[in-house]
């Protein structure tokens, strides 16, 4: 049986055929959408004399471990947990248990996992969590350990749909699976892919344009 080694807080680099490095979907969204809940979280950490960067890295690593557990489940592998603390393992497994509850009544076939894509047309890149056949429908699936399914996650799905379309891959559905680290019940957002693009595609393209406009301004400073 294959053993998966999760990566620690790493970010892929997206490079066009020309050699130009382009931004990621999450980088673009992070620059153009305010996240007041993160400011509140950072303030709370400060009051507890905790280092924000260290706590952020620990949270990201839990997410990476969760990704590895789900990927291993979808591919019939096991996870190498070396380098993770017992607390991180326990939190990731709480989220993973909610994933197992979500998938219990579904027929799932894995098409692609951690699939890296780059758009030569729009000049950005992204790595989707999974492309699956769920009950015989091709579904773009992303999973989160956040406190809610927020707007930026839905924009992220729209960005991934544009990337897939550029490769002539057309999913039937999109899904966002929220599996909290505290073990509370999962939340699932699902939509037809064409409806999702209709509702969020224009906003994503405008977010991309705004990111580029901001980047040009910062270059002049």
């Amino acid at each position: 049986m294959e053993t998966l080694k999760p990566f620690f807080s790493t970010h892929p680099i997206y490079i066009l055929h020309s050699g130009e490095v382009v931004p990621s979907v999450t980088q673009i969204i992070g620059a153009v959408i305010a996240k007041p809940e993160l400011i509140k979280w950072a303030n709370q950490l400060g009051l507890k004399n905790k280092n924000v960067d260290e706590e952020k890295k620990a949270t990201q690593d839990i997410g990476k471990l969760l990704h590895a557990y789900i990927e291993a489940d979808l591919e019939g592998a096991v996870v190498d947990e070396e380098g993770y603390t017992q607390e991180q393992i326990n939190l990731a497994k709480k989220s993973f248990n909610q994933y197992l509850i979500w998938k219990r009544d579904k027929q799932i076939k894995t098409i692609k996992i951690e699939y890296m894509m780059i758009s030569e047309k729009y000049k950005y890149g992204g790595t989707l969590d999974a492309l699956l056949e769920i009950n015989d429908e091709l579904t773009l699936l992303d999973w989160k350990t956040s406190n809610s399914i927020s707007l930026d996650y839905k924009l992220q799905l729209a960005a991934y749909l544009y990337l897939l379309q550029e490769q002539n891959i057309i999913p039937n559905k999109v899904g966002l699976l929220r599996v909290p680290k505290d073990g509370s019940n999962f939340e699932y957002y699902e939509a037809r892919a064409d409806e999702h693009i209709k509702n969020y595609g224009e906003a994503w393209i405008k977010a991309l344009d705004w990111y580029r406009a901001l980047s040009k301004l910062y270059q002049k400073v």
Side-chain angles (χ1 to χ4, degrees):
M1 184 177 289
E2 181 185 358
T3 300
L4 294 179
K5 178 68 176 178
F7 294 102
F8 287 86
S9 296
T10 55
H11 300 281
I13 298 174
Y14 301 98
I15 304 174
L16 301 179
H17 294 316
S18 65
E20 178 186 354
V21 176
V22 293
S24 69
V25 172
T26 53
Q27 182 180 347
I28 294 164
I29 291 175
V32 302
I33 295 185
K35 294 188 176 183
E37 68 277 5
L38 291 183
I39 297 174
K40 181 179 178 181
W41 176 72
N43 287 337
Q44 290 172 341
L45 289 177
L47 292 173
K48 297 176 182 178
N49 293 318
K50 292 186 177 181
N51 184 283
V52 174
D53 291 335
E54 290 178 359
E55 292 295 321
K56 183 178 179 181
K57 180 182 181 302
T59 299
Q60 290 173 336
D61 287 340
I62 292 168
K64 292 290 183 182
L65 186 55
L66 169 65
H67 274 66
Y69 286 142
I70 297 177
E71 181 179 349
D73 178 73
L74 291 170
E75 297 192 326
V78 295
V79 176
D80 180 357
E81 298 168 339
E82 183 180 356
Y84 286 90
T85 67
Q86 191 59 51
E87 181 182 11
Q88 288 176 319
I89 292 170
N90 291 342
L91 289 171
K93 284 187 174 179
K94 283 183 178 180
S95 297
F96 180 65
N97 286 336
Q98 285 300 307
Y99 155 81
L100 291 176
I101 294 171
W102 166 81
K103 69 164 279 191
R104 187 178 293 161
D105 60 346
K106 297 173 176 63
Q107 296 290 330
I108 297 178
K109 178 182 177 182
T110 303
I111 306 300
K112 296 182 183 294
I113 295 286
E114 290 288 315
Y115 184 49
M116 181 186 291
M117 303 170 289
I118 301 171
S119 171
E120 294 286 333
K121 178 180 179 180
Y122 293 108
K123 296 186 177 181
Y124 69 88
T127 301
L128 59 81
D129 286 343
L131 189 64
L132 309 171
E133 283 186 5
I134 302 178
N135 298 334
D136 297 322
E137 292 201 277
L138 188 62
T139 302
L140 163 60
L141 181 67
D142 214 48
W143 48 80
K144 307 292 184 183
T145 59
S146 56
N147 294 325
S148 64
I149 293 179
S150 55
L151 172 62
D152 52 326
Y153 297 151
K154 294 179 179 180
L155 288 179
Q156 189 174 353
L157 285 183
Y160 291 160
L161 284 173
Y162 280 116
L163 290 170
L164 286 169
Q165 287 175 359
E166 201 162 321
Q167 299 185 36
N168 294 316
I169 300 174
I170 312 297
N172 302 106
K173 290 184 175 182
V174 297
L176 272 170
L177 175 63
R178 187 177 73 87
V179 281
K181 293 189 291 293
D182 62 5
S184 56
N185 293 341
F186 71 83
E187 180 183 5
Y188 189 54
Y189 162 84
E190 184 181 77
R192 304 298 303 182
D194 55 353
E195 283 296 317
H196 191 82
I197 278 286
K198 180 180 177 181
N199 291 333
Y200 298 99
E202 182 181 1
W204 163 250
I205 296 300
K206 288 184 176 178
L208 181 58
D209 289 341
W210 179 231
Y211 173 85
R212 288 174 177 152
L214 285 175
S215 296
K216 289 180 181 178
L217 290 175
Y218 281 124
Q219 289 171 6
K220 295 178 180 179
V221 175

